[in-house]
Amino acid sequence: IMNTQVPKSVSALAAAVLVLGLGGCASTPYVRADFDHTADFTSYKTFSFASPLDTDRRGYQTVLSQHLKAAAQREMEARGMRLDSSAPQLLVNFSANLSDKLRVTTVPTTSAFIGGGRGYYGYRGGMYSAWPAYTDQTTVTQYTEGTLNIDVVDLARKQLVWESVLTDTITEKTFDNVQAAIDTAVAAAFAKYPIPGPAKAK
């Protein structure tokens, strides 16, 4: 996963989200979520999407936004809500970005055996040796981290009621199946939504 170069032809905004779908990556995205504990999530029946979304470009909706909207709509509808652009109770927004990171790894390595060589300690040679001398070996690698935010806003109160933040490392393999990657990312986020989906409903 480390030292991966993302193709420059791919938009940074799209790349930030594609990493979160586990496409070809051995790790899973790190998901954090929080919500307004005073909000009654069972009372929300309708939703829509912010316009423009933060993942849109000036004057048009990106393919990334379209994939995110489709995935989020499935998750919201699975929780008993319906899309209503005219009078929504909830508004969904997305944001994505990239950041370059440095990973520093330090591990002990054996450099030599004290008392096992020639010179003064040569008398030990052939019979026994002393303890190994350990030194720290530090490796610094650069990687790109993608972050996806999903916001759910109570439109009447103009108040954020749920937020999910996903982070993971970008690899070229993530670009092989963009839609599946985004579907997996959004599903991982909504797994922490206060209203469970059908699979978790009791």
Side-chain angles (χ1 to χ4, degrees), residues 85-129:
S85 300
S86 61
Q89 293 173 289
L90 296 176
L91 207 61
V92 182
N93 196 12
F94 311 102
S95 180
N97 62 76
L98 293 174
S99 58
D100 292 326
K101 301 284 186 177
L102 292 178
R103 181 179 290 113
V104 180
T105 305
T106 302
V107 294
T109 59
T110 304
S111 59
F113 282 87
I114 298 176
R118 297 181 179 180
Y120 176 79
Y121 294 102
Y123 68 91
R124 297 173 177 169
M127 291 188 294
Y128 59 91
S129 61

Side-chain angles (χ1 to χ4, degrees), residues 92-166:
V92 182
N93 196 12
F94 311 102
S95 180
N97 62 76
L98 293 174
S99 58
D100 292 326
K101 301 284 186 177
L102 292 178
R103 181 179 290 113
V104 180
T105 305
T106 302
V107 294
T109 59
T110 304
S111 59
F113 282 87
I114 298 176
R118 297 181 179 180
Y120 176 79
Y121 294 102
Y123 68 91
R124 297 173 177 169
M127 291 188 294
Y128 59 91
S129 61
W131 58 89
Y134 290 97
T135 59
D136 289 336
Q137 180 177 350
T138 299
T139 303
V140 180
T141 53
Q142 183 175 359
Y143 65 99
T144 303
E145 183 179 81
T147 302
L148 169 65
N149 282 65
I150 303 177
D151 294 347
V152 175
V153 178
D154 184 317
L155 197 55
R157 297 165 53 200
K158 297 187 183 300
Q159 175 68 47
L160 182 71
V161 291
W162 182 75
E163 177 188 25
S164 180
V165 182
L166 299 90

Side-chain angles (χ1 to χ4, degrees), residues 39-52:
D40 180 9
F41 283 84
T42 61
S43 67
Y44 298 126
K45 303 301 180 183
T46 59
F47 71 95
S48 188
F49 296 96
S51 182

